Amino acid sequence: MTLTEKVAYLKGLAAGLELDKDSKETKIFEAMFDILEDLALTVGEIDEDLSAAEELIEDIDADLADLEEFVYDYDDEDDICGCCDDCDDDLYEVECPSCGEEIYLNDEMLDEEFIECPACGEKLELDIEFDDCDCDCDDCDCCGE
């Protein structure tokens, strides 16, 4: 039962009491019922507006998710940089210390003194040292280095 239906029910109950129309109490009850009816209608309008806003927010959220997937999602492991279909560059993944964004660097970018984080704009100084070992071991005992 909606609020307007409940107010109508209360008005019906009061009418069933057959109160004297000229008494002060009856006039107060009628004024309260009118106020309750106005409040119920206002709450109903607010609920409708809220539902419309929720639908709009859901649409915006879905559009934003599509946009984020387009901009940030790298499904093809061979093209993690997003620059081409046949990307043969070795890419290195680093995390921006300011915002935590994952940044992919190629060999050419590593030659630069600094790069700018695409997410927060922070200038990151590149001071990267590489081991000669190409294996993924923790120490180089397995490859003899």
Side-chain angles (χ1 to χ4, degrees), residues 14 101 124:
E101 179 75 19
L124 307 173

Side-chain angles (χ1 to χ4, degrees), residues 4-16 33 36:
T4 52
E5 292 171 339
K6 290 178 180 179
V7 171
Y9 176 73
L10 283 176
K11 284 179 120 178
L13 286 176
F33 290 139
L36 284 174

